[in-house]
C-alpha cells in the first residue's frame, strides 16, 4: 500500500548532512550575502531536501518565483563523509 503512494522516481536516503548555502544572483552580479549553514533531511540522485528556519535572508526570499524561473540560485557546499 505504501508503494502505491510513493511517486518519486528515485529512492531517498534519510541522511542529515551539513550543507553551506550561498545565494548567487542569476545575473552574475556579486552580492555579499551571508552563508547559510543548514542540514539536509534527505538526498537522492535527483535532489536534496534542506531544512531551514527562515526562508528570507537580507530581504531575499529563497522560495520566490516559479521553479527554474527564479532570479537567484543557490550554490551548495556539501561535505560527504
Amino acid at each position: 500500500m505504501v508503494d502505491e503512494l510513493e511517486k518519486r522516481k528515485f529512492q531517498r536516503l534519510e541522511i542529515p548532512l551539513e550543507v553551506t548555502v550561498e545565494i548567487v544572483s542569476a545575473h552574475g552580479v556579486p552580492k555579499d550575502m551571508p552563508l547559510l549553514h543548514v542540514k539536509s533531511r534527505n538526498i537522492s540522485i535527483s535532489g536534496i531536501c534542506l531544512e531551514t528556519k527562515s526562508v528570507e535572508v537580507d530581504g531575499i526570499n529563497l522560495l520566490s518565483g516559479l521553479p527554474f524561473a527564479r532570479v537567484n540560485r543557490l550554490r551548495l557546499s556539501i561535505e560527504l563523509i
Side-chain angles (χ1 to χ4, degrees):
M1 183 79 171
V2 174
D3 292 335
E4 293 175 13
L5 299 176
E6 183 61 56
K7 295 183 180 183
R8 295 181 174 134
K9 293 181 182 180
F10 302 104
Q11 178 183 3
R12 292 189 170 259
L13 302 173
E14 304 293 326
I15 301 176
L17 298 170
E18 297 290 331
V19 181
T20 302
V21 179
E22 178 184 7
I23 301 171
V24 180
S25 172
H27 304 295
V29 178
K31 299 179 180 182
D32 294 323
M33 299 297 296
L35 297 177
L36 305 172
H37 300 283
V38 299
K39 283 197 180 250
S40 67
R41 175 179 284 182
N42 57 52
I43 189 168
S44 76
I45 195 168
S46 66
I48 186 169
C49 176
L50 301 176
E51 293 182 328
T52 180
K53 292 183 180 182
S54 64
V55 295
E56 189 172 300
V57 177
D58 287 355
I60 295 177
N61 188 316
L62 302 177
L63 303 175
S64 64
L66 297 172
F68 305 109
R70 295 181 178 145
V71 175
N72 299 297
R73 301 288 185 249
L74 302 179
R75 179 177 294 137
L76 306 178
S77 297
I78 305 169
E79 184 175 337
L80 300 175
I81 301 170

